[in-house]
Amino acid sequence: MKCWKPEDFEQAVLKGADFSSVNMQDHLADCVGCRNRYTEWIEEQENWMRQLYPNVLPAAFTEGVMLSISSEEELSEDSVITAAETAAKEPKGIKKRWKLAAAAAALVLFMGAATFFSAPTLADIVRSLFAGYNADTGLLKAQKLGLVQHPNIEVKDKGYMLKIDEAVADSTRVVVALQLFGPDGKHDRNKIAFYNKNHIFIKDEKGNKVGEMYDYGSTDDFYYMMAIFPEPVQTDRLTVEGTIQQLSNTPAKTSITPGNWGFTFNLDLKEANKLTHITPLQGEYTGPDGMTVRLKRLTRMVQGVRLEFDTEISGEALKRSPGELWKEQKLFFHFEDLAGNEIHSVNTRKMPAVDSVMIDGNTPGNKPGLMHWSYTFKELPIDSPYKFVLDGYFVAETDGTSVEFNPQRLKEEPIKLYWKGDRLVLNDFMTVNQPTSEGDKLESSLYVTGDLHNEIFFDKWVVRMADKSEFTTQGRGILSPEGDNWKDGVTVLSSINESNKPFEFRFPALTPVPDKLTLIRTVVGKQYTNTDWSLELFEKKNGR
């Protein structure tokens, strides 16, 4: 697809171009220039339409408006052609602007007529799941397949009107465009906070709650409500039940408007369920240190693709992760095409990386060491071979590595540590004020810099006093992944606010500050990258 000039977007609209098409969305995603020009154009149109008509009207009027614009364009072309002498003297740019002006005038006339007949403005085009960059791959697929549903919900109370015109649902997730208009007729994006008295539940045909919607954000044009199911729902109908009892000027919430904007509507999943296909997978690998991975199946739904697999660690590996420790584990892997180009990656430290995970989960199996996993992706290739590549994994294991230090001399004599692939430097020790709801609270802070090969989220660190009493530390700061390949990435420790202030291990204040402490890592999130396995996958279209 060729790149467009700014005026091309206006001409395209007049000719009925579909900016939500997959080809157009792919081009805009790849082309920075077109994306910037398109965004500027959308913002200009949005501001103009909102100034003219802040409220949203039904979508039925859109086709009539565009058809009328098209007729007006044809009329303006005839006028220019018949005025041969005038046209011969005018530059081409003037003709183009004249045509656009005529079309714009037609728009204003039709929008004026809309007031009399209660017909819509074009603002509803902007406030749509499929306007601009609101729609992801799953929504575009649903639109193409005719699976967009229109609940036509309209609830009024205390001068506010809640509207829902669009919803998309399959066994992967439910997406809803919720709008709220105030007494002035303008859309208010910051009036509903979804907690406490405001929530939207999703229920199956038996009335079981299968999900709760959250505000995905990403746009100011509506409340982008979404519920992603941890596993595909097995039902032909979903019910969306909304309880909205409180509006507030979030986030301050100093002014609260009570009321009732509750709603209920059903979503039909029959057609979407017909398009769900399962592809069994056969592939198993056992790494040198006792981790076995078994791929199970791919479930392709309209809005997502779910990968399921099991992991199991050996009896020898369980000895390193006694009790419940073995349940703290994480795989990192990626998909690539046959040329080695990345498609998606999971839990990688390589930067940049492509992440399209919508939701993931893991559940312990019926015996120690067995874990069931699932990852739902926005998209994976179909009718084209690609590879699943296992890059490695983390498992929480007992450690016990320790170092003794004098906190009073750390600033002058930093201590460097090299523990199981991790590089740490103990830089300083201070007593700091930590603001709390009950006033300032004194805490001890051990300043640390370095980068970690292992997974700090599974680590447990304690500080031991000379009398053997111990304090569990809490990390405070930023963890930044860094890496240029799939296996050798690290996590860099840095501060939250000040670039010259290190990561901190916080624990209760020690007064007076002792001259001897011991830092102990009791549990380490051990990283294993000595895996060597990939499996070619191929999924036929429509499961055939």
Side-chain angles (χ1 to χ4, degrees):
M1 179 178 290
K2 69 180 183 68
C3 292
W4 288 15
K5 300 175 183 178
E7 60 267 24
D8 290 338
F9 288 106
E10 297 184 13
Q11 289 287 356
V13 169
L14 296 178
K15 295 177 181 178
D18 182 9
F19 289 104
S20 67
S21 69
V22 174
N23 288 339
M24 176 63 74
Q25 290 293 324
D26 287 345
H27 179 73
L28 292 176
D30 295 334
C31 180
V32 176
C34 282
R35 185 164 67 248
N36 291 339
R37 287 189 287 272
Y38 177 66
T39 301
E40 291 173 1
W41 180 80
I42 282 290
E43 291 175 352
E44 179 183 350
Q45 302 306 310
E46 179 181 349
N47 291 335
W48 178 52
M49 287 186 284
R50 281 178 174 169
Q51 289 175 11
L52 287 174
Y53 279 82
N55 206 342
V56 178
L57 297 171
F61 189 66
T62 303
E63 293 182 4
V65 172
M66 300 311 296
L67 180 62
S68 301
I69 292 174
S70 176
S71 301
E72 199 68 27
E73 182 185 7
E74 293 174 3
L75 176 63
S76 64
E77 287 181 2
D78 292 340
S79 301
V80 173
I81 292 173
T82 55
E85 293 182 2
T86 304
K89 298 178 182 179
E90 289 178 347
K92 293 183 179 179
I94 294 179
K95 292 182 184 178
K96 193 176 296 184
R97 288 195 297 270
W98 191 91
K99 289 162 65 179
L100 289 174
L107 261 179
V108 173
L109 288 173
F110 279 104
M111 292 174 79
T115 305
F116 181 77
F117 291 106
S118 297
T121 72
L122 295 182
D124 58 325
I125 297 178
V126 176
R127 297 194 187 104
S128 167
L129 285 171
F130 304 96
Y133 295 101
N134 294 332
D136 58 21
T137 303
L139 288 175
L140 291 175
K141 285 176 60 180
Q143 183 191 40
K144 184 177 180 179
L145 294 167
L147 298 177
V148 181
Q149 303 186 46
H150 302 280
N152 297 319
I153 297 296
E154 192 171 293
V155 184
K156 299 178 181 179
D157 194 14
K158 304 295 176 64
Y160 288 88
M161 179 175 65
L162 181 148
K163 291 190 66 175
I164 299 176
D165 293 327
E166 294 176 321
V168 176
D170 71 342
S171 52
T172 306
R173 65 177 180 174
V174 175
V175 181
V176 169
L178 184 151
Q179 303 170 61
L180 181 73
F181 297 93
D184 57 0
K186 295 182 179 180
H187 185 258
D188 195 330
R189 182 62 177 81
N190 300 308
K191 209 71 174 176
I192 306 178
F194 290 92
Y195 67 96
N196 195 9
K197 295 186 177 182
N198 300 331
H199 53 258
I200 303 175
F201 292 129
I202 311 295
K203 296 183 178 180
D204 63 15
E205 289 178 308
K206 297 179 180 180
N208 300 314
K209 188 172 75 172
V210 294
E212 181 174 0
M213 306 202 80
Y214 64 93
D215 187 357
Y216 180 69
S218 101
T219 179
D220 291 330
D221 297 315
F222 50 83
Y223 294 84
Y224 202 135
M225 305 306 300
M226 186 181 299
I228 303 175
F229 305 121
E231 59 183 52
V233 293
Q234 305 296 319
T235 184
D236 284 337
R237 188 186 73 242
L238 291 173
T239 299
V240 181
E241 294 185 359
T243 301
I244 310 295
Q245 298 179 338
Q246 180 176 290
L247 306 180
S248 60
N249 56 332
T250 57
K253 305 180 185 65
T254 55
S255 175
I256 295 176
T257 303
N260 183 8
W261 295 271
F263 58 87
T264 300
F265 62 88
N266 294 328
L267 293 171
D268 192 336
L269 267 63
K270 293 187 183 70
E271 293 304 315
N273 287 340
K274 293 177 184 178
L275 299 172
T276 298
H277 302 287
I278 297 176
T279 302
L281 301 177
Q282 293 183 346
E284 180 174 320
Y285 169 80
T286 300
D289 290 286
M291 168 72 81
T292 296
V293 180
R294 302 185 189 95
L295 299 188
K296 294 167 64 177
R297 68 183 66 88
L298 279 172
T299 303
R300 180 169 292 272
M301 301 160 282
V302 173
Q303 297 188 77
V305 184
R306 176 185 170 95
L307 169 68
E308 295 175 68
F309 59 87
D310 289 344
T311 60
E312 186 171 0
I313 60 177
S314 66
E316 190 64 30
L318 280 173
K319 295 177 183 178
R320 302 191 296 267
S321 305
E324 302 290 302
L325 277 185
W326 67 269
K327 296 180 181 179
E328 297 184 52
Q329 53 179 273
K330 182 166 66 174
L331 267 66
F332 49 105
F333 58 91
H334 71 277
F335 299 99
E336 61 182 40
D337 62 24
L338 298 189
N341 300 308
E342 177 186 358
I343 299 173
H344 301 307
S345 58
V346 175
N347 297 325
T348 185
R349 291 170 174 173
K350 184 181 79 68
M351 294 292 146
V354 181
D355 179 7
S356 76
V357 175
M358 300 170 67
I359 192 170
D360 64 88
N362 61 300
T363 305
N366 57 6
K367 61 179 179 178
L370 178 63
M371 188 77 76
H372 306 298
W373 299 83
S374 68
Y375 286 87
T376 301
F377 301 90
K378 293 179 181 178
E379 187 58 276
L380 283 173
I382 192 166
D383 273 346
S384 177
Y386 62 101
K387 288 184 178 181
F388 168 92
V389 183
L390 177 63
D391 301 311
Y393 59 94
F394 303 98
V395 180
E397 299 180 354
T398 56
D399 188 3
T401 309
S402 65
V403 62
E404 187 178 285
F405 64 97
N406 184 343
Q408 300 177 24
R409 297 192 57 80
L410 268 185
K411 191 169 185 178
E412 293 77 22
E413 301 174 3
I415 296 178
K416 296 181 179 180
L417 307 173
Y418 299 93
W419 291 354
K420 297 185 178 180
D422 298 331
R423 184 187 64 85
L424 295 169
V425 181
L426 309 186
N427 293 281
D428 200 0
F429 184 94
M430 297 185 66
T431 301
V432 297
N433 279 321
Q434 174 60 36
T436 70
S437 58
E438 300 175 354
D440 287 353
K441 178 182 177 182
L442 288 178
E443 291 185 345
S444 294
S445 176
L446 176 61
Y447 291 161
V448 183
T449 57
D451 47 63
L452 304 179
H453 173 75
N454 297 298
E455 180 54 84
I456 192 172
F457 287 113
F458 295 159
D459 287 358
K460 290 181 173 57
W461 300 77
V462 299
V463 171
R464 179 179 295 168
M465 303 274 288
D467 62 2
K468 304 301 182 182
S469 59
E470 293 182 351
F471 300 96
T472 300
T473 69
Q474 300 292 330
R476 179 165 300 185
I478 295 176
L479 306 172
S480 306
E482 284 188 7
D484 56 11
N485 62 68
W486 296 114
K487 291 182 177 288
D488 296 334
V490 297
T491 299
V492 179
L493 306 181
S494 57
S495 67
I496 296 178
N497 298 316
E498 305 170 31
S499 59
N500 61 342
K501 183 180 177 183
F503 189 89
E504 300 175 71
F505 285 142
R506 290 280 190 98
F507 49 96
L510 304 179
T511 52
V513 176
D515 58 8
K516 186 175 74 171
L517 290 174
T518 303
L519 177 66
I520 307 170
R521 182 167 64 183
T522 59
V523 174
V524 59
K526 185 72 169 65
Q527 178 178 215
Y528 291 93
T529 59
N530 56 351
T531 55
D532 183 17
W533 184 53
S534 66
L535 182 68
E536 185 172 313
L537 306 178
F538 182 81
E539 208 182 339
K540 294 182 179 180
K541 193 172 184 179
N542 298 326
R544 295 191 292 269

